[in-house]
């Protein structure tokens, strides 16, 4: 987490562009508060919070732990200062380390699962930190560079081909034996029909053909709510795209760049992904089709660990399914809902995933902002259909 904020100036820590994009300072404090509220205050009898109001300011949505501060006003707070937040992180970290170094094996076993959730929670916020910084810098006419990075050359892409999968009853979901979020359980049977999955993600160049063909002006391809968004928001391209006299550009964490046609298209909403799929005569995969296709593949890809902070093109010489992991979250046509027999985490941690199972769609695969050690093939990300600030892309099915 601290490595990710190294390139920032003090002013960068405070700004909140939208309600769903929190300031960097808040991410630093909230992840510390999580360990404080769910672990330290319960496990250490002698623990005292650094400030009695921090539980109010840095709670996100856990109503069972207390009333949270208004989500859309996180950027209004100049205090606590960045320095004070860093002191708070240090204070919490020191107490977590102290507990781990002095507790008994029985105490460790009692709190192991909570600590594990806290670590995975922090990795989620590392990803949100990157995407929130991008949307903040992306609103700045100076097109700031977050971090210079060298990326693979965008070579001509392999032809779009199809991989077939037979219908049948398959088991889906987490098998247990290692960490998983509650929404990945339980493993269960589901019927999947014959389907085909594209070998790679859709590129910027392919999406540009949709734009040139009037895709944003033709309601035939759009869900009704999606076309209403196009009209109301004036969408005519993915987020961060900009048409200039000499062609298309897009904002990246490397600054403003000319659009690389062979890189995967990202920062599209579910509505845009679905409309593109219809235009192409295809559809989006279900999350169950995606998981079935991913099971035999090695979990390798362009995760944040590579330091690109941007999706990479497919390898023209590589056969089979590519870009299944890393690069871009892949929209599925599956609504975010509970698996049969689903149970939430106990206590206030039960608010982590379950209460959001309404009006959202599942994304699979991770992205260039996801930590590899955080990701699993059963991982279920979820967002509202209109959101575009995540590294979300398109894989076709039929």
């Amino acid at each position: 987490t601290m490595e990710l904020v190294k390139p920032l100036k003090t002013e960068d820590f405070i700004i909140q562009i939208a309600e769903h994009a929190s300031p960097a300072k808040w991410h630093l404090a909230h992840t510390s508060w999580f360990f404080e509220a769910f672990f330290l205050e319960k496990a250490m009898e002698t623990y005292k919070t650094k400030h009695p109001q921090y539980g109010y300011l840095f709670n996100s949505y856990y109503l069972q732990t207390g009333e949270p501060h208004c989500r859309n006003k996180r950027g209004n707070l100049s205090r606590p200062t960045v320095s004070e937040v860093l002191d708070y992180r240090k204070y919490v970290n020191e107490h977590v380390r102290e507990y781990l170094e002095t507790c008994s094996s029985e105490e460790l076993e009692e709190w192991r699962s909570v600590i594990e959730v806290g670590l995975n929670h922090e990795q989620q916020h590392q990803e949100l930190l990157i995407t929130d910084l991008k949307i903040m810098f992306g609103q700045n006419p100076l097109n700031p560079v977050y971090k210079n990075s060298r990326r693979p050359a965008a070579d001509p892409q392999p032809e779009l081909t199809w991989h077939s999968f037979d219908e049948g009853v398959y088991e889906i979901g987490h098998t247990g034996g290692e960490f998983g979020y509650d929404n990945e359980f339980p493993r269960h049977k589901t019927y999947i029909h014959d389907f085909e999955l594209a070998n790679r993600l859709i590129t910027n160049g392919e999406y540009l053909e949709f734009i040139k063909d009037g895709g944003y002006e033709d309601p035939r391809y759009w869900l009704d709510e999606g076309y209403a968004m196009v009209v109301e928001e004036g969408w005519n391209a993915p987020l961060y795209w900009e048409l200039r006299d000499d062609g298309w550009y897009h904002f990246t964490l490397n600054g403003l760049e000319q659009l690389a046609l062979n890189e995967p298209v990202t920062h599209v909403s579910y509505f845009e992904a679905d409309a593109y799929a219809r235009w192409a005569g295809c559809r989006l995969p279900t999350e169950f089709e995606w998981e079935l296709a991913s099971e035999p593949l090695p979990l390798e890809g362009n995760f944040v660990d590579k330091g690109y902070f941007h999706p990479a093109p497919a390898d023209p010489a590589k056969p089979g399914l590519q870009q299944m992991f890393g690069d871009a979250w892949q929209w599925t046509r599956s609504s975010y809902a509970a698996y049969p027999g689903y149970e939430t985490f106990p206590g206030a941690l039960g608010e982590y995933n379950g209460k959001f199972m309404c009006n959202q769609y599942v994304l699979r695969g991770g992205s260039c902002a996801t930590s590899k050690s955080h990701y699993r093939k059963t991982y279920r990300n979820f967002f509202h259909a209109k959101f575009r600030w995540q590294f979300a892309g398109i894989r076709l099915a039929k």
Side-chain angles (χ1 to χ4, degrees), residues 74-100:
R74 292 170 183 168
N76 294 2
L77 305 175
S78 61
R79 308 297 175 90
T81 64
V82 175
S83 177
E84 288 170 328
V85 165
L86 294 177
D87 285 344
Y88 176 50
R89 277 185 72 83
K90 182 179 178 182
Y91 179 80
V92 171
N93 286 344
E94 286 175 348
H95 280 82
V96 172
R97 289 195 189 98
E98 177 188 342
Y99 185 90
L100 295 177

Side-chain angles (χ1 to χ4, degrees), residues 66-263:
E67 181 187 359
H69 181 247
C70 297
R71 185 180 182 185
N72 63 348
K73 294 182 179 179
R74 292 170 183 168
N76 294 2
L77 305 175
S78 61
R79 308 297 175 90
T81 64
V82 175
S83 177
E84 288 170 328
V85 165
L86 294 177
D87 285 344
Y88 176 50
R89 277 185 72 83
K90 182 179 178 182
Y91 179 80
V92 171
N93 286 344
E94 286 175 348
H95 280 82
V96 172
R97 289 195 189 98
E98 177 188 342
Y99 185 90
L100 295 177
E101 289 167 359
T102 60
C103 70
S104 66
S105 57
E106 291 79 11
E107 289 171 323
L108 177 61
E109 191 59 37
E110 179 183 357
W111 293 102
R112 178 191 299 275
S113 61
V114 175
I115 296 168
E116 198 169 32
V117 171
L119 294 171
N120 280 271
H121 171 260
E122 179 120 8
Q123 286 185 306
Q124 283 187 312
H125 278 270
Q126 290 166 356
E127 178 165 353
L128 288 169
L129 182 62
I130 294 167
T131 52
D132 290 358
L133 288 172
K134 184 171 184 179
I135 197 170
M136 179 189 71
F137 285 136
Q139 311 302 310
N140 190 324
L142 299 178
N143 296 311
V145 174
Y146 163 69
K147 193 172 186 180
N148 285 308
S149 62
R150 291 188 176 184
R151 305 196 301 270
D155 295 325
Q157 293 297 272
E159 180 184 354
L160 201 69
T161 58
W162 299 92
H163 294 257
S164 299
F165 297 85
D166 295 333
E167 68 179 346
V169 177
Y170 294 92
E171 288 196 339
I172 296 296
H174 204 303
T175 57
E178 62 176 13
F179 177 78
Y181 285 120
D182 55 9
N183 64 2
E184 300 171 52
F185 294 94
R187 191 163 177 85
H188 63 285
K189 293 181 175 67
T190 189
Y191 190 87
I192 299 176
H193 292 270
D194 289 336
F195 72 98
E196 293 181 287
L197 197 66
N199 61 321
R200 58 167 172 80
L201 299 175
I202 294 301
T203 66
N204 288 327
E206 288 165 333
Y207 197 86
L208 191 56
E209 292 303 311
F210 168 69
I211 295 174
K212 291 178 178 177
D213 195 43
Y216 278 89
E217 292 82 45
D218 194 334
R220 287 181 300 166
Y221 306 123
W222 295 83
L223 294 168
D224 181 66
E225 188 177 337
Y227 196 68
M229 289 292 298
V230 169
V231 174
E232 291 170 14
E233 300 295 328
W235 289 352
N236 60 7
L239 183 64
Y240 302 123
W241 284 32
E242 178 184 338
L243 182 59
R244 295 190 168 190
D245 292 340
D246 59 342
W248 284 95
Y249 286 75
H250 65 158
F251 180 77
T252 76
L253 287 167
N254 259 11
L256 191 69
E257 297 181 351
Q258 196 150 23
L259 189 70
L261 299 182
N262 292 326
E263 291 177 346

